[in-house]
Amino acid sequence: EIVLTQSPGTLSLSPGERATLSCRASQSVSSSYLAWYQQKPGRAPRLLIYDASSRATGIPDRFSGSGSGTDFTLTISRLEPEDFAVYYCQQYDSSRMYTFGQGTKLEIK
Amino acid sequence: QVQLQESGPGLVKPSDTLSLTCAVSGYSISSSHWWGWIRQPPGKGLEWIGYIYDSETAYYNPSLKSRVTMSVDTAKNQFSLKLTSVTAVDTAVFYCARKLRGSYSFDYWGQGTLVTVSS
């Protein structure tokens, strides 16, 4: 099973700042198999990025994904008040298994 | 607009079977998509349970495989989850979701339903 480790656990920033969230895999992950989600309290996760760098429908262009192999990054270029939430990365592997990272909480500083 | 809605008992006794249904609207479940279940224990992260394509094709999380069964009902445009022999560690919010075609991610999610395992 591929384990995803997200860092930092909590990120404290102010609106307007740039956020960089990391997701590291215990084994190499195909870029086509890496996704990012945003989750707000009491809500379902929302797909932001799929295939490591493709924005999902309706996602603002301030969200971007990058990376390959074992290291992936979600960047939010300029934080808006509604961006403060928990973010999860997710991967799919050749054993037909999906796993999620433990999440990064993005909080207002 | 694709919408998914989970339903089922909010309280299940230990050793019993948890049964949930996901009703899909705005989209035919018979169209070429995988339909899945993901759960989230209170205050914790997300765990993929499995997904189903049709009545003969489903994949499950190996850690849950012995206790999980999924099914589809095309006439009702819904799919279902059964998890047997539940214990308190199975207490979670259960989400149903649609796998994005051509990708390995989930683009539409239900609002989630909390299932508590307790006597």
Side-chain angles (χ1 to χ4, degrees), chain B residues 62-118:
Chain B
S63 69
L64 299 169
K65 187 175 181 179
S66 64
R67 300 195 290 134
V68 171
T69 303
M70 295 182 185
S71 60
V72 293
D73 185 336
T74 54
K76 294 183 178 180
N77 212 44
Q78 63 187 33
F79 60 104
S80 300
L81 166 70
K82 289 188 185 300
L83 180 66
T84 62
S85 305
V86 297
T87 68
V89 299
D90 293 310
T91 294
V93 175
F94 285 76
Y95 296 101
C96 58
R98 188 186 80 168
K99 175 185 169 299
L100 177 63
R101 184 181 292 152
S103 176
Y104 293 90
S105 57
F106 298 92
D107 59 347
Y108 285 95
W109 294 64
Q111 64 184 27
T113 187
L114 174 63
V115 179
T116 301
V117 179
S118 175

Side-chain angles (χ1 to χ4, degrees), chain A residues 33 37 39 44 51 90 96 98, chain B residues 40 51 95 103-104 106 110:
Chain A
Y33 298 169
Y37 300 83
Q39 187 178 34
D51 295 358
Q90 168 247 296
R96 299 192 177 101
Y98 291 80
Chain B
Q40 184 172 36
Y51 58 10
Y95 296 101
S103 176
Y104 293 90
F106 298 92

Side-chain angles (χ1 to χ4, degrees), chain B residues 5-95:
Chain B
Q5 178 68 59
E6 305 89 349
S7 63
L11 181 64
V12 180
K13 289 183 168 53
S15 80
D16 282 359
T17 296
L18 178 160
S19 296
L20 295 174
T21 296
C22 181
V24 180
S25 59
Y27 197 84
S28 172
I29 198 172
S30 301
S31 301
S32 303
H33 273 284
W34 291 81
W35 303 90
W37 292 93
I38 294 108
R39 69 179 181 178
Q40 184 172 36
K44 296 188 178 181
L46 299 160
E47 181 182 36
W48 176 73
I49 300 171
Y51 58 10
I52 187 166
Y53 183 79
D54 57 31
S55 60
E56 297 182 350
T57 311
Y59 295 107
Y60 305 134
N61 187 322
S63 69
L64 299 169
K65 187 175 181 179
S66 64
R67 300 195 290 134
V68 171
T69 303
M70 295 182 185
S71 60
V72 293
D73 185 336
T74 54
K76 294 183 178 180
N77 212 44
Q78 63 187 33
F79 60 104
S80 300
L81 166 70
K82 289 188 185 300
L83 180 66
T84 62
S85 305
V86 297
T87 68
V89 299
D90 293 310
T91 294
V93 175
F94 285 76
Y95 296 101

